[in-house]
Amino acid sequence: MVNAPTRYAEALLTAMLGAFGLDVEYVRAEKNSLYYLDETGAEVPVLDLVGGWGSLMLGHNHPEIVAYAKELLETGWPVHSQHSAHPVADQVGAVLNDIVGREFPGAEPHSVIFANSGAEAVEAAVKHCEFDRVLRVKSLFEQIEWNADVALTALREGAAALPRDTSLLPGDVPAPTTVEEFGALLGAVAAHNLARAGTGPVFFALERAFHGKLVGSTQFTYNPLFRAAFASLGREVRFVPPNDAAAFERIAAEHRVTVLDVEVVDGVITLVERPFPVVAALVVEPIQGEGGIHALTAEFAARVREICDGIGCPIVVDEIQTGMGRTGTFFASSAIGLVGDCYVLGKSLGGGIAKTSAMLVRQSRYRPEFELVHSSTFAKDGFSTAIALRTLELLEADGGAAYDRAAERGERILAMLRELAAAYPDVVADVRGKGLLIGLEFADQSQAASPVIREKALAGLLVFQLGSYLQLAHHIRTGPTASVPTMLRIEPSIYISDEEIDQLRTGLVEVCEILRNQDALPLIHPLTGGEQEQAPRAEIRDFRPAEADGAVTEAGPATVRAGLVGYPLTPDALRELDPSLADLDDDRLLAYVRRSELLKDLPAFAPVRYESPQGVSADLTVYPLLVTQEQLRGYQVSGQTFLIGADVDRRVRAAKADGCTTVGLGFGLGAVTGHGGALRVPGITVTAGSTLAVGSALTAVERVAAERFGGLDGLTVAVVGGGGRTGSAIAALSARWAAKIVLVGSGRPGSDERLRATRVRIYQEAWERIAAGAEPTGLCAALAAEPLVAGWLAEGRSADEPGGAAIAARIDADHDIDPFVVTTDDLLSVANAEVVFSAHSSPVPVLDEKHLSDRAIICDMSFFGTAAETAALASRGDLRYVRGGILSVSDRVNLPRGFSASTGAGELLAGVAEVITLALSGSSGPVGDGLITRERVDALVDLAKQHGFETVSP
């Protein structure tokens, strides 16, 4: 972000959180509360329902665990004592085995491997499964080799006959008739098996699964957002539908591979097939937490166990989030009878203090030599295992009262949420969960009436927006699930109180009211810098649209599609975009835009249809960027235009993917993208929309000047922003009638150079008109009398020959002050001009009444942005204000809300009309860069007229 403080630790993520006001620095924590300091230094409690993403079963800083941790550190308990006995780790293993035996009666003992995090425990489990598979492959081939030797010996000793059937071998292999031919047959079997031996392992996981984000564990995470970029780094993982055992059985069968073996059957050597261990493991969560709080059924668990036993596939049960009693039993899998070969635990195993996890493997599956090929410096450290043991003791105390409390507290929360769902069926789609792993799923808001709510939903950020409101307005901290953008996660500790549940109820009722009534103001106000101030209105109002009468007729497809990359620039535009924001003042609205800068890449708006008099039509789709003109200027000043350029490029590519043939760049975006020339999107026309704006502005001024001064000939014209693309074109095209042109720049580095380039261009334009024999008017008439130009005319010099630079140099040599074109950064020089064009890129107005002459005409090219010059008219009734770049539309079509706040009914900004015109006319190739010439202006103005666009009479 421009002007953001420098951050080094996950700067992007922190900035994204800041966009929602979630970048809070907490200073203390206990039970279900986090505390931050307000402006006075006082502590403010926040109800934490994120719960360390499931790591705080016993809450923040459980006093007994904290006291024990202090005791360990104060007594000098060894943290690092690698390669020594670890009796505490054994005690942890013993407790875990007792729990396994209790919840899975008859279960065999389990060996334990420790790790540092849940994802690392998954990695360890996956590695162990593959290690086991490799050893099984090795054992299989050793057995096949042994069997071959036994068969060959039996054959030589006359105890067995040669095989009669060789059909299991590929190809037409004849049955052997001699010992030597049998040896060749064994060679063919070995070659066949060697080819199969190269088959890589296959792992299974469930759709919606989440098992971590490390190189290995991310392969088992279903969401492509986390997995796709790293797919080439891992082995194949097949995802199967949850609770669909038939699908799993079918997919598993697809990966069946066999190798060949020989055995002596009834005195005859016989070829037989042996299953080759291809499938390495099935990894499952009994309740898919990040996948949206979806539970597996007992029926699925039982059938999967049968299938896996049949194919020799170990089951890894991921209890990282569901385990430690969170769902009412220590293992959530025990409630559905899902018996695993391996269990992984993490999160709450560290009691909210230590970072530790564990993998349990039943001993009949365990490979002890795995301990020699897998280790970790910090796993099984003395401190973490001791804390884990104390945590297990607390959970197991009083006959497992903690598990009972998790079940009871969870059911109370679920009952409250179900009541909420019954009261707001239009807002709440579902309530799911067990114990203290709960999800509240909101109904789809992608078609919401409120654009703020709708666009956040389309961007997958609605839960962040709602979570922002809950935190800033109700001091409730919630979070999303990783793969379901409409689900609010609720994962508190067992110590959540009735009062805290009531606090949650109050906040969620407000959220449901906001969504039901489509009132975005309560969501926005806390993000406008007014967190500590009273909102402009306390009540939630109903902004739902009235139901339309009669049936709505679906329109057919348009002839072409066009796109506009733009944004709500002004507070008025934001209020028009979402009427619920009407009560927020300008400062608050702009503060929200500035805060939301990282969220500027929003989904496209619904298209608007334009029907041309020529019998063709265009659907115009707006691809919004929530960025102000001031922010764009910040990118320019800081030299970071590449940042916004990347965003624009992405939006143009999105428009192309949607079928748009032409894309326009909204006001201000041209300056930060080289007027479209810096974009590299092939196969689409990109325009900055300036050409038609120049043509319509000049036409509008001509009409007013005809009324006020009897015409334009002989007037002095000032162009504020004369070094810019639009200002330069206006100045150059004014040379045909203006007697004098004043070019005003900003005074910033590079401004003088740009003004000088415009001056040369003006003289070039004038020379071409003079040489072409056009009627000598304005500046052209005066220049024709200059000795240099008069000499060129006498020589018959062609208009195609460049002359602007030579004319400028000669005038500098012949005159102390250029009598025709003045370049300056002094706004007072505008006071001598009868016509003033305001075409600057400043985010604020630059002109006031002292800068303008009597009865001057001011053509404002920035009237629809925050730089509108209307304040200059406050005390000057003699001035004439002209909105530059406005066209009328015959059928009175308008842009979507938020993009026409400064235009009237039946009016469009010229830049928008240019996009539609080019699309309807079938223009191709980049047209946004390069000079805006008289020929281009005339041609585009004519095309626009053909399609029904006319300059609005001032």
Side-chain angles (χ1 to χ4, degrees):
M1 293 176 65
V2 176
N3 299 323
T6 301
R7 289 191 174 98
Y8 301 98
E10 296 185 331
L12 175 63
L13 177 60
T14 304
M16 290 289 288
L17 292 173
F20 292 103
L22 301 177
D23 56 339
V24 179
E25 180 184 358
Y26 295 105
V27 298
R28 191 168 68 85
E30 64 177 352
K31 290 190 176 179
N32 287 296
S33 294
L34 284 163
Y35 297 84
Y36 68 91
L37 301 180
D38 65 14
E39 296 176 351
T40 68
E43 284 190 341
V44 178
V46 175
L47 174 59
D48 181 16
L49 300 180
V50 174
W53 303 128
S55 300
L56 297 172
M57 177 70 172
L58 296 176
H60 289 281
N61 293 323
H62 189 284
E64 292 187 45
I65 296 177
V66 170
Y68 186 52
K70 289 180 179 179
E71 179 185 337
L72 291 172
L73 296 174
E74 288 172 354
T75 58
W77 182 262
V79 175
H80 297 291
S81 56
Q82 294 89 342
H83 275 219
S84 66
H86 289 272
V88 175
D90 283 331
Q91 292 177 56
V92 172
V95 174
L96 290 173
N97 268 280
D98 288 344
I99 296 172
V100 171
R102 182 184 71 230
E103 298 201 352
F104 300 95
E108 62 184 271
H110 286 65
S111 295
V112 182
I113 296 289
F114 288 90
N116 305 290
S117 68
E120 290 176 65
V122 170
E123 298 261 328
V126 169
K127 281 183 64 179
H128 185 275
C129 289
E130 175 59 5
F131 189 65
D132 173 59
R133 188 192 73 87
V134 169
L135 293 181
R136 284 189 285 135
V137 169
K138 179 175 180 291
S139 177
L140 173 63
F141 280 113
E142 288 174 348
Q143 184 63 50
I144 290 173
E145 185 179 4
W146 173 267
N147 291 343
D149 187 60
V150 168
L152 186 59
T153 300
L155 179 64
R156 287 170 175 166
E157 293 177 349
L162 290 166
R164 307 184 190 97
D165 183 4
T166 60
S167 60
L168 291 179
L169 272 171
D172 187 15
V173 178
T177 59
T178 65
V179 172
E180 290 75 15
E181 289 180 356
F182 178 67
L185 178 68
L186 290 179
V189 168
H192 172 81
N193 290 346
L194 183 62
R196 299 298 178 94
T199 305
V202 175
F203 292 87
F204 296 118
L206 301 184
E207 294 173 1
R208 297 194 302 254
F210 183 93
H211 297 288
K213 298 179 184 176
L214 298 181
V215 170
S217 59
T218 196
Q219 309 300 329
F220 294 85
T221 293
Y222 182 69
N223 190 336
L225 177 66
F226 306 124
R227 173 175 48 86
F230 313 105
S232 63
L233 300 180
R235 282 293 187 180
E236 179 182 4
V237 175
R238 286 293 305 272
F239 291 97
V240 300
N243 293 323
D244 188 344
F248 174 54
E249 187 172 21
R250 183 177 62 256
I251 294 171
E254 294 174 3
H255 292 278
R256 181 177 181 271
V257 175
T258 60
V259 291
L260 296 180
D261 193 5
V262 294
E263 62 181 18
V264 178
V265 180
D266 297 330
V268 178
I269 298 173
T270 304
L271 289 178
V272 295
E273 286 186 315
R274 306 286 188 204
F276 179 73
V278 172
V279 176
L282 165 67
V283 185
V284 296
E285 303 158 278
I287 300 176
Q288 296 178 308
E290 304 298 341
I293 323 295
H294 291 278
L296 300 185
T297 65
E299 294 76 16
F300 178 73
R303 183 67 186 120
V304 161
R305 182 71 267 179
E306 292 176 356
I307 295 169
C308 287
D309 287 343
I311 62 176
C313 170
I315 298 177
V316 177
V317 181
D318 183 343
E319 294 268 12
I320 292 166
Q321 185 164 202
T322 57
M324 305 297 296
R326 179 160 292 281
T327 64
T329 52
F330 188 91
F331 291 100
S333 51
S334 69
I336 58 172
L338 176 59
V339 179
D341 299 283
C342 178
Y343 299 92
V344 285
L345 296 168
K347 292 190 182 291
S348 286
L349 182 61
I353 298 294
K355 299 177 179 66
T356 187
S357 59
M359 174 190 74
L360 287 69
V361 186
R362 63 184 177 95
Q363 288 187 353
S364 60
R365 276 276 188 185
Y366 185 58
R367 298 285 186 169
E369 53 268 60
F370 181 71
E371 299 166 21
L372 304 178
V373 297
H374 178 85
S375 63
S376 168
T377 298
F378 294 102
K380 204 177 67 171
D381 72 83
F383 179 80
S384 297
T385 51
I387 293 296
L389 180 61
R390 187 72 186 101
T391 300
L392 291 171
E393 291 171 349
L394 289 170
L395 290 172
E396 289 285 295
D398 301 322
Y403 314 139
D404 294 337
R405 182 169 176 84
E408 184 274 327
R409 292 285 84 187
E411 189 52 44
R412 184 177 179 90
I413 295 172
L414 284 165
M416 179 270 289
L417 295 177
R418 290 175 186 131
E419 290 177 2
L420 195 73
Y424 295 93
D426 52 328
V427 173
V428 178
D430 198 7
V431 174
R432 296 193 293 273
K434 186 172 184 180
L436 293 173
L437 180 58
I438 298 170
L440 174 67
E441 186 172 2
F442 291 101
D444 178 30
Q445 296 289 331
S446 62
Q447 301 299 317
S450 163
V452 169
I453 295 173
R454 181 179 67 245
E455 305 317 322
K456 289 297 186 295
L458 288 170
L461 297 172
L462 179 62
V463 170
F464 282 92
Q465 187 76 66
L466 301 179
S468 166
Y469 169 74
L470 286 171
Q471 177 153 325
L472 298 178
H474 293 274
H475 294 153
I476 300 171
R477 185 171 184 257
T478 60
T481 59
S483 300
V484 182
T486 55
M487 174 156 282
L488 198 70
R489 177 211 304 257
I490 300 170
E491 207 165 2
S493 82
I494 60 174
Y495 300 111
I496 187 167
S497 65
D498 290 346
E499 292 76 18
E500 289 171 330
I501 295 173
D502 288 341
Q503 181 182 351
L504 175 61
R505 181 202 301 271
T506 299
L508 290 177
V509 166
E510 293 288 311
V511 165
C512 290
E513 285 290 321
I514 288 168
L515 293 179
R516 169 173 283 179
N517 292 287
Q518 298 291 291
D519 187 356
L521 184 140
L523 301 178
I524 296 302
H525 177 259
L527 299 172
T528 63
E531 296 94 332
Q532 306 301 323
E533 298 182 12
Q534 187 71 27
R537 54 178 169 82
E539 76 281 5
I540 295 173
R541 295 179 183 170
D542 192 345
F543 288 91
R544 288 173 289 181
E547 292 187 12
D549 295 328
V552 177
T553 303
E554 290 280 338
T559 308
V560 292
R561 299 189 66 177
L564 175 67
V565 181
Y567 39 84
L569 281 171
T570 66
D572 284 343
L574 285 168
R575 294 186 189 99
E576 184 192 22
L577 178 71
D578 195 322
S580 71
L581 307 181
D583 293 320
L584 286 174
D585 61 29
D586 290 6
D587 290 340
R588 294 298 181 214
L589 286 169
L590 291 176
Y592 170 68
V593 175
R594 287 191 294 270
R595 190 165 201 166
S596 303
E597 184 172 5
L598 279 175
L599 308 177
K600 54 185 167 290
D601 195 3
L602 298 175
F605 286 7
V608 172
R609 176 69 53 88
Y610 176 74
E611 301 283 352
S612 167
Q614 300 297 316
V616 290
S617 61
D619 275 348
L620 179 69
T621 300
V622 174
Y623 297 83
L625 293 176
L626 197 60
V627 181
T628 66
Q629 188 180 356
E630 184 176 12
Q631 287 170 314
L632 289 175
R633 190 63 181 164
Y635 281 112
Q636 288 181 289
V637 172
S638 66
Q640 294 179 303
T641 56
F642 67 93
L643 293 175
I644 191 69
D647 292 319
V648 175
D649 183 271
R650 209 164 50 249
R651 305 309 281 146
V652 172
R653 291 181 186 276
K656 180 183 176 182
D658 289 342
C660 295
T661 60
T662 306
V663 174
L665 305 180
F667 180 77
L669 291 179
V672 295
T673 60
H675 306 289
L679 301 176
R680 294 292 181 264
V681 183
I684 194 167
T685 299
V686 179
T687 175
S690 303
T691 304
L692 198 53
V694 168
S696 62
L698 289 171
T699 299
V701 167
E702 287 174 359
R703 293 174 182 172
V704 175
E707 298 173 3
R708 179 152 289 206
F709 301 117
L712 288 167
D713 290 348
L715 300 182
T716 296
V717 174
V719 182
V720 180
R725 186 167 184 265
T726 300
S728 175
I730 287 173
L733 300 185
S734 298
R736 70 186 188 277
W737 44 260
K740 184 176 182 180
I741 299 175
V742 179
L743 303 174
V744 184
S746 64
R748 290 190 296 270
S751 175
D752 287 346
E753 182 180 351
R754 290 190 292 271
L755 291 179
R756 288 194 296 270
T758 300
R759 176 174 174 246
V760 168
R761 182 182 174 189
I762 292 170
Y763 284 133
Q764 180 64 35
E765 179 82 12
W767 159 243
E768 290 174 2
R769 286 181 58 81
I770 294 168
E775 181 181 354
T777 57
L779 189 148
C780 299
L783 273 182
E786 286 290 308
L788 177 65
V789 177
W792 287 350
L793 289 173
E795 296 169 2
R797 184 168 177 167
S798 169
D800 294 334
E801 298 183 51
I807 294 172
R810 182 61 175 268
I811 288 176
D812 287 340
D814 293 347
H815 302 273
D816 293 333
I817 298 175
D818 188 331
F820 310 116
V821 182
V822 176
T823 61
T824 179
D825 59 7
D826 184 3
L827 284 170
L828 292 175
S829 62
V830 173
N832 295 319
E834 290 91 355
V835 177
V836 179
F837 289 92
S838 178
H840 57 80
S841 59
S842 169
V844 296
V846 300
L847 296 173
D848 60 37
E849 57 188 274
K850 70 182 179 183
H851 297 129
L852 301 169
S853 66
D854 293 343
R855 303 185 70 233
I857 300 169
I858 175 171
C859 181
D860 191 357
M861 304 294 289
S862 305
F863 76 92
F864 51 91
T866 55
E869 305 288 2
T870 51
L873 308 177
S875 60
R876 291 282 301 277
D878 62 310
L879 300 176
R880 182 65 185 273
Y881 182 78
V882 176
R883 297 177 303 156
I886 295 292
L887 296 173
S888 63
V889 189
S890 59
D891 62 353
R892 303 175 71 82
V893 70
N894 284 307
L895 274 175
R897 288 189 307 188
F899 291 81
S900 56
S902 300
T903 58
E907 294 181 346
L908 281 183
L909 299 176
V912 180
E914 181 170 326
V915 176
I916 298 173
T917 296
L918 291 173
L920 292 171
S921 302
S923 299
S924 61
V927 299
D929 54 352
L931 291 177
I932 301 174
T933 63
R934 164 58 61 185
E935 291 74 18
R936 287 180 64 176
V937 169
D938 289 345
L940 197 52
V941 167
D942 182 62
L943 277 175
K945 286 181 179 179
Q946 293 178 35
H947 290 295
F949 298 110
E950 295 278 356
T951 296
V952 172
S953 298

